[in-house]
Amino acid sequence: MTEDMSIQSVSQLTDQLRRMVERHFPFVWVRGEVGDLSRPASGHLYFTLKDAGAQLRCVWFRQQQRQRGAFDPLTGEVFATPPPAPEELVCEGTELICAGHVGIYAPRGQYQLVVELAQAAGRGGLAQAFEERKRRLAALGYFAQERKRRLPWNPARVALLTSPHGAAIHDFWRLAAGRGQAAHIRLFPVPVQGEGAAPAIVRALAVANAQAAAPDGPQVIVLVRGGGSLEDLWAFNEQEVAEAIFHSRLPVLAGIGHEVDVTLADLTADVRAATPSHAAQLLWPSRQELLQRLDEAELSLGRVMRRNGERLALRLEHLMRILRVNTPQRQVERLETTRQRRAEDLRRALRNYLDDRDVRVKALAQALQAVWHPARLSLREAEHAAWDARLRAALPRFLVRQGQARTALARRLHAAGRQLVAGAEERQARLALRLTAHDPLGPLQRGYALVQAAGGELLHSVGQAHCGQDLSIRLQDGALGVTVCQIHPRPPEPAEGEGGS
């Protein structure tokens, strides 16, 4: 090493580079999309401006965040209303036009843009893509609340999809260790950012759903990741991930990023947790809560057992009183009393029945004696002889009248039969005449003929025939086969009032 070669310290080299950069870029205009926004308590704003190929760290110090007046210092445009404040202007995904000088932050050895002025240029590409996908999936019903399922309470088997190296898995396991009843958590390691993250998440969701049918398969799928920028969380905004969550047979719990981070996976999942730790809290109750429920159940069981014991004691006492009242001796005494009362009732009823029979027999004997008295019998015989004589005298007259009536009825029946037959013969003659008049073959006997086409249909007009057509002419005693050679239509008759005098 030669003596004239100087060795610089890191600070010296950085200071030289800083002066060089600040000299060549004293004031620049940069356009890009805001990302990695940070708002510390100092009031300064730290963010990144990026495009498809690069990113630039930016700082906007609080003293430079001047409230704009009624005009824009960049363009001179006069505003009808004041523009938004800096904390409202700089948001994740917003595209900004920033003006300032480029410098180097020595403690980190990185160059940055010290912002002096900023103006909104519209939403960034990622934010626009997120909003477009969000609207499309919402129209397809991916975010509808009525399709979302409830999580199983205190599940015993959980499929956990996350990176095995991130902070999210440690937060989730730390909370899960003190909650629930020692659930079995099966880890499905997947990358949570980068180009291959979305396909890996989709494959893990498919494998977890396939294992659900097994006896030891998972009951719920948990998808967690720590916080990050919109770019870091973009894998969870891919449409294929949202579709896999939407078609999942198992309920999906998503705990992605912090509470302010919202992804399409969060919106599509059945339940969204604010953080990975919150996801564990939603899945399992705390052990203290379970112990408290156990104590409450034990106290409730004791109260129920005491009430049942008291109720059974009262029931036993009641049965003992009934047993003392209904001893066999008391029962025999009551039955004997009832037997004696019923026997006395039976004897009384028998005496009353016999007394009634005696009275009725005496009354019947007196009535029979009155009916069969000799004088009454003689009177009955005389009445019987008179009725017999009257019947013998009336019988011949009755038979004569019956014969006369039968003869008259026979004469009326013969007359009605002759009239009925005459009427039927007359109707038959009229019908025969009508049938003869309507016979289609009758006119053939008077020289007329029937003209039929080859199919058998009758021709009524010359318009139904054409030259060269074969026809059949049916006469009285047979038929003639002819071929049409000429057709002579009848000229139309002149209308009334037309023609010569």
Side-chain angles (χ1 to χ4, degrees), residues 168 171-172 174-175 275-282:
D171 294 341
F172 183 83
R174 177 175 53 82
L175 266 292
T275 61
S277 302
H278 185 219
Q281 295 174 351
L282 291 177

Side-chain angles (χ1 to χ4, degrees), residues 18-175:
R18 179 180 59 79
R19 288 196 299 270
M20 183 182 300
V21 169
E22 290 177 352
R23 185 170 61 253
H24 286 83
F25 301 97
F27 194 80
V28 295
W29 302 77
V30 183
R31 178 172 182 163
E33 181 181 342
V34 176
D36 296 332
L37 176 62
S38 177
R39 302 175 186 270
S42 61
H44 307 322
L45 295 178
Y46 298 93
F47 56 94
T48 299
L49 285 180
K50 58 184 179 298
D51 55 20
Q55 62 180 7
L56 172 64
R57 293 296 302 173
C58 302
V59 58
W60 196 2
F61 294 112
R62 183 165 57 92
Q63 58 271 21
Q64 296 292 337
Q65 301 171 15
R66 297 185 297 271
Q67 292 289 342
R68 301 181 184 179
F71 71 95
D72 190 340
L74 294 176
T75 63
E77 177 184 0
V78 178
F79 299 119
T81 58
E87 59 272 13
E88 299 175 356
L89 181 63
V90 182
C91 300
E92 286 278 353
T94 303
E95 192 170 4
L96 292 182
I97 299 176
C98 297
H101 65 273
V102 179
I104 293 181
Y105 183 56
R108 293 186 180 176
Q110 64 181 14
Y111 75 97
Q112 62 183 6
L113 176 66
V114 181
V115 180
E116 298 179 13
L117 299 172
Q119 180 179 354
R123 299 288 292 174
L126 290 180
Q128 292 179 356
F130 174 80
E131 293 298 332
E132 181 181 353
R133 290 180 183 177
K134 181 180 177 182
R135 287 192 297 270
R136 183 167 63 252
L137 295 181
L140 295 175
Y142 276 45
F143 311 147
Q145 290 297 325
E146 56 269 16
R147 74 152 193 91
K148 297 193 175 185
R149 297 157 292 188
R150 299 178 60 182
L151 297 178
W153 184 82
N154 195 19
R157 300 177 302 280
V158 175
L160 178 62
L161 277 65
T162 187
S163 171
H165 307 295
I169 187 172
H170 300 291
D171 294 341
F172 183 83
W173 271 340
R174 177 175 53 82
L175 266 292

Side-chain angles (χ1 to χ4, degrees), residues 203-285:
R203 288 193 298 270
L205 285 169
V207 173
N209 276 282
Q211 294 179 358
D216 59 343
Q219 299 170 279
V220 62
I221 297 176
V222 181
L223 185 61
V224 295
R225 186 209 189 279
S229 64
L230 182 61
E231 296 82 2
D232 296 337
L233 302 178
W234 191 250
F236 299 93
N237 289 323
E238 296 291 352
Q239 183 166 343
E240 55 184 323
V241 174
E243 290 177 350
I245 295 175
F246 179 77
H247 294 292
S248 174
R249 291 183 297 172
L250 293 174
V252 178
L253 170 62
I256 300 168
H258 303 299
E259 187 173 2
V260 296
D261 298 323
V262 180
T263 65
L264 297 180
D266 289 313
L267 298 175
T268 310
D270 296 285
V271 178
R272 182 204 172 200
T275 61
S277 302
H278 185 219
Q281 295 174 351
L282 291 177
L283 280 178
W284 300 288

